[in-house]
């Protein structure tokens, strides 16, 4: 058996082609039934399995609904960091010239059988070797020129501190599988993983008696020097992709930090607004209580004035009566009497009448107070009607400003002005935050 090559390039990830939802020109439809299907799971179901719980945990921790994520798959597909929702590698042993699927008799060739055995073992052990690469679609095509696998997987990385705890990240997934962080363009996580997978394929080929000429991407009809030059170019492109992945990850982390800062500022602003609203309500309540207390005191002051007036008159009359009363001793007993003139006696009766009529006077003033209260209620209703009339004519704000200009500012008005100043300050801060995000995007583009 001649030496063969191992091809392990990145695929385009056309799931409809892989799963034969449509047939290309290079496909032999009569052999499509020979294809082997190891797993065919929809991408959305796979995302639910990989990230569903993490997404629900993240949304449950958000106090505001507008910060929640509705569709993580859609977010990755629309990511500005050029993230991929999944990755694909095509695994092939040999070429159509040395490992055709069928011979002239239309049956499987011996070379194809050996390659199929290697590819079958590789597909069945892929998930065990790569726990952080979730295999959701894997098929072996035998209806084309050469047996090959389409390996479609989702990188799953855990342990993020901000945002979702589990995310799609190829570099971090490799690191969590034990591959060291990149130290150069030719020594990074992706290159190390590809080397390990090629070594594993090489070992499987040796067990099947297949000699491997070059471990790398598909060589086609290139000479060995041309092939090695192409290999170096491929490695450089892969290194560039790794660098871009790392930059994207750094930008993602920076963006997450900025989002966290913005969310924290918004929470602080909301707390300040709530405190201001609460303080306003307390001030309004205090003013209402103060107004009611003043009304009660005014009534009591009126009553006190009445009592004072009556008491003063009674005291004066009592003093006069005492001065004109002459004590007289009873000849038939020890009880003492007083003798007064008839005119003074009449005065005493009059004073007594006034004292007795005190309740009448109080009742009279109470009626007067009640009448004043009704008048105030009528005036208040008229004022409300006037306000509605002014508002219906579109003069509400002008009328309020006019009234405010006539009276000194209350504590509530001062607080409202402070709230307006705070709103202007918050708007300026939001503009600054938007400027930060804009500069961050410029930085991403420059990188």
């Amino acid at each position: 058996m001649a030496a063969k090559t191992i091809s392990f390039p990145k695929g385009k990830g056309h799931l409809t082609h892989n799963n034969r939802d449509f047939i290309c020109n290079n496909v032999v439809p009569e052999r499509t039934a020979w294809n082997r299907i190891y797993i065919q799971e929809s991408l959305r179901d796979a995302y639910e399995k990989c990230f569903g719980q993490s997404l629900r945990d993240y949304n449950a921790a958000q106090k505001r609904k507008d910060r929640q994520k509705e569709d993580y798959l859609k977010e990755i597909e629309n990511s500005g960091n050029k993230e991929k929702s999944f990755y694909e590698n095509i695994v092939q042993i040999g070429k159509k010239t040395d490992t055709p699927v069928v011979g002239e008799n239309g049956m499987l060739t011996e070379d194809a059988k050996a390659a199929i055995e290697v590819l079958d073992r590789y597909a069945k052990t892929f998930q065990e070797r790569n726990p952080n690469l979730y295999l959701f679609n894997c098929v072996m095509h035998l209806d084309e020129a050469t047996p090959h696998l389409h390996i479609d997987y989702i990188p799953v990385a855990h342990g993020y501190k901000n945002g979702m705890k589990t995310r799609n990240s190829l570099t971090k997934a490799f690191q969590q599988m034990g591959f060291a962080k990149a130290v150069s363009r030719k020594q990074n996580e992706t290159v190390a993983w590809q080397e390990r997978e090629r070594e594993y394929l090489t070992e499987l080929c040796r067990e099947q008696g297949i000699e491997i000429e070059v471990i790398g991407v598909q060589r086609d009809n290139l000479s060995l020097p041309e092939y090695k030059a192409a290999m170096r170019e491929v490695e450089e492109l892969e290194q560039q992709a790794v660098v871009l992945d790392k930059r994207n990850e750094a930008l993602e982390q920076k963006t997450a930090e900025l989002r966290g800062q913005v969310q924290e500022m918004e929470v602080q602003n909301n707390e300040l607004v709530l405190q201001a609203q609460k303080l306003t309500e307390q001030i309004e309540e205090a003013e209402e209580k103060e107004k009611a207390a003043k009304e009660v005191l005014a009534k009591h002051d009126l009553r006190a004035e009445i009592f004072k007036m009556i008491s003063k008159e009674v005291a004066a009359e009592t003093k006069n009566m005492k001065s004109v009363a002459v004590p007289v001793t009873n000849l038939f007993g020890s009880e003492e009497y007083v003798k007064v003139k008839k005119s003074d006696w009449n005065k005493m009766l009059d004073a007594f009448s006034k004292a007795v009529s005190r309740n009448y006077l109080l009742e009279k003033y109470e009626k007067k107070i009640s009448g004043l209260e009704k008048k105030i209620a009528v005036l208040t209703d008229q004022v409300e009607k006037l306000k509605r009339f002014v508002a219906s004519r579109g003069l509400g704000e002008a009328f309020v400003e006019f009234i405010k200009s006539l009276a000194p500012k209350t504590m509530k008005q001062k607080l409202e002005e402070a709230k307006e100043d705070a709103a202007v300050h918050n708007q300026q801060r939001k503009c600054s935050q938007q400027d930060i995000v804009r500069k961050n995007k410029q930085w991403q583009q420059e990188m």
Side-chain angles (χ1 to χ4, degrees):
M1 186 179 292
K4 301 181 185 300
T5 59
I6 292 178
S7 299
F8 195 76
K10 293 180 180 179
K12 295 182 179 180
H14 294 315
L15 296 178
T16 53
H17 164 75
N18 298 350
N19 298 330
R20 292 299 186 252
D21 292 334
F22 71 93
I23 305 298
C24 298
N25 294 331
N26 63 332
V27 173
V28 180
E30 292 77 13
R31 295 209 311 266
T32 298
W34 294 10
N35 293 344
R36 299 187 182 184
I37 299 174
Y38 296 94
I39 182 171
Q40 281 184 348
E41 184 178 6
S42 72
L43 184 59
R44 182 159 296 279
D45 289 344
Y47 261 70
E48 168 61 26
K49 188 176 296 184
C50 295
F51 309 110
Q53 187 59 48
S54 179
L55 178 63
R56 287 187 287 274
D57 292 343
Y58 170 81
N59 287 336
Q62 304 306 308
K63 296 181 179 179
R64 290 175 48 181
K65 290 186 178 180
D66 58 346
R67 295 176 186 164
Q68 295 181 351
K69 298 177 183 290
E70 294 183 0
D71 192 334
Y72 184 58
L73 173 57
K74 187 175 181 181
E75 177 181 320
I76 294 297
E77 290 175 341
N78 298 330
S79 173
N81 296 330
K82 297 182 180 179
E83 296 173 308
K84 298 183 66 174
S85 57
F86 70 94
Y87 297 82
E88 178 180 277
N89 281 89
I90 300 174
V91 186
Q92 181 173 312
I93 308 299
K95 298 175 295 185
K96 62 182 179 180
T97 56
D98 56 30
T99 314
V101 175
V102 296
E104 294 180 356
N105 59 0
M107 304 296 291
L108 283 174
T109 64
E110 293 301 320
D111 290 311
K113 291 179 180 179
I116 290 171
E117 182 65 24
V118 171
L119 295 176
D120 182 73
R121 291 181 60 185
Y122 179 84
K124 291 179 178 179
T125 58
F126 181 88
Q127 189 65 84
E128 181 181 356
R129 289 192 317 279
N130 301 282
N132 290 78
L133 304 180
Y134 181 75
L135 187 64
F136 73 97
N137 205 90
C138 181
V139 295
M140 182 191 298
H141 286 165
L142 300 176
D143 54 0
E144 297 181 42
T146 307
H148 61 274
L149 287 172
H150 287 270
I151 303 287
D152 298 288
Y153 53 89
I154 302 169
V156 181
H158 308 280
Y160 285 90
K161 295 182 179 179
N162 297 320
M164 291 175 55
K165 304 301 181 184
T166 302
R167 300 186 204 168
N168 177 330
S169 174
L170 185 62
T171 301
K172 197 172 182 66
F174 283 148
Q175 292 175 0
Q176 292 182 351
M177 288 194 302
F179 295 98
K181 292 184 178 181
V183 295
S184 67
R185 293 180 58 186
K186 294 185 178 181
Q187 292 182 334
N188 58 69
E189 299 89 343
T190 301
V191 172
W193 176 72
Q194 291 175 343
E195 289 178 355
R196 189 196 71 175
E197 293 299 292
R198 289 191 180 105
E199 290 176 359
Y200 179 71
L201 282 167
T202 301
E203 183 63 28
L204 293 179
C205 288
R206 288 172 181 168
E207 292 177 2
Q208 290 296 318
I210 301 174
E211 181 183 354
I212 300 301
E213 176 185 358
V214 178
I215 299 177
V217 296
Q218 190 173 357
R219 181 174 166 183
D220 294 331
N221 295 322
L222 299 177
S223 64
L224 185 58
E226 290 174 337
Y227 176 71
K228 290 183 177 180
M231 281 286 294
R232 287 192 295 270
E233 184 178 355
V234 169
E235 289 180 356
E236 291 179 357
L237 291 175
E238 289 179 347
Q239 296 298 333
Q240 292 176 8
V242 170
V243 172
L244 290 176
D245 287 341
K246 294 183 73 63
R247 287 182 180 177
N248 289 338
E249 186 174 357
L251 290 174
E252 180 184 354
Q253 184 177 0
K254 185 66 176 179
T255 302
E257 292 176 357
L258 290 175
R259 287 176 180 171
Q261 293 175 3
V262 171
Q263 291 177 356
E264 184 177 355
M265 290 179 181
E266 290 179 351
V267 170
Q268 293 176 354
N269 291 339
N270 292 335
E271 290 178 352
L272 290 174
V273 171
L274 291 175
Q275 291 176 0
Q277 291 176 349
K278 186 176 180 181
L279 184 57
T280 302
E281 293 174 357
Q282 291 176 350
I283 291 174
E284 291 177 348
E285 184 179 356
E287 289 180 348
E288 290 295 330
K289 289 182 179 179
E290 181 183 8
K291 181 180 178 181
K294 286 181 178 179
E295 292 177 354
V296 174
L297 289 175
K299 292 181 180 180
H300 284 290
D301 288 343
L302 181 59
R303 291 187 179 93
E305 288 295 327
I306 295 172
F307 287 137
K308 185 176 180 181
M309 180 183 67
I310 295 173
S311 298
K312 185 176 180 180
E313 293 180 4
V314 171
E317 292 297 331
T318 301
K319 184 177 180 181
N320 291 334
M321 292 303 101
K322 286 183 178 181
S323 65
V324 299
V326 178
V328 177
T329 302
N330 188 358
L331 297 176
F332 302 99
S334 59
E335 187 176 358
E336 188 176 42
Y337 294 86
V338 293
K339 182 176 69 173
V340 296
K341 294 178 182 180
K342 186 175 182 180
S343 59
D344 293 331
W345 172 250
N346 291 332
K347 290 181 180 179
M348 292 175 65
L349 290 176
D350 185 51
F352 177 74
S353 176
K354 289 181 178 179
V356 172
S357 62
R358 178 182 59 182
N359 291 334
Y360 168 76
L361 293 173
L362 291 175
E363 183 179 355
K364 176 182 177 181
Y365 282 105
E366 287 285 356
K367 290 181 179 179
K368 185 176 181 181
I369 291 171
S370 177
L372 290 173
E373 289 177 343
K374 291 181 180 179
K375 187 175 182 179
I376 291 172
V378 172
L379 292 174
T380 302
D381 182 62
Q382 292 178 352
V383 170
E384 291 298 326
K385 290 180 179 179
L386 179 60
K387 287 181 179 179
R388 290 194 293 271
F389 173 79
V390 170
S392 66
R393 296 298 188 274
L395 303 175
E397 295 183 359
F399 178 75
V400 171
E401 293 299 326
F402 173 72
I403 295 300
K404 288 182 179 179
S405 66
L406 298 179
K409 294 182 179 179
T410 62
M411 188 67 170
K412 181 180 177 181
Q413 291 172 333
K414 293 179 180 180
L415 181 60
E416 289 295 334
E417 291 181 355
K419 287 170 62 178
E420 292 177 358
D421 293 339
V424 173
H425 178 70
N426 289 339
Q427 183 64 29
Q428 293 175 350
R429 184 161 56 181
K430 287 183 178 179
C431 290
S432 299
Q433 293 169 359
Q434 292 175 357
D435 188 53
I436 290 174
V437 174
R438 180 178 59 78
K439 290 182 178 180
N440 182 42
K441 289 182 178 179
Q442 292 178 354
W443 177 59
Q444 292 178 7
Q445 294 174 356
E446 292 175 358
M447 293 182 68

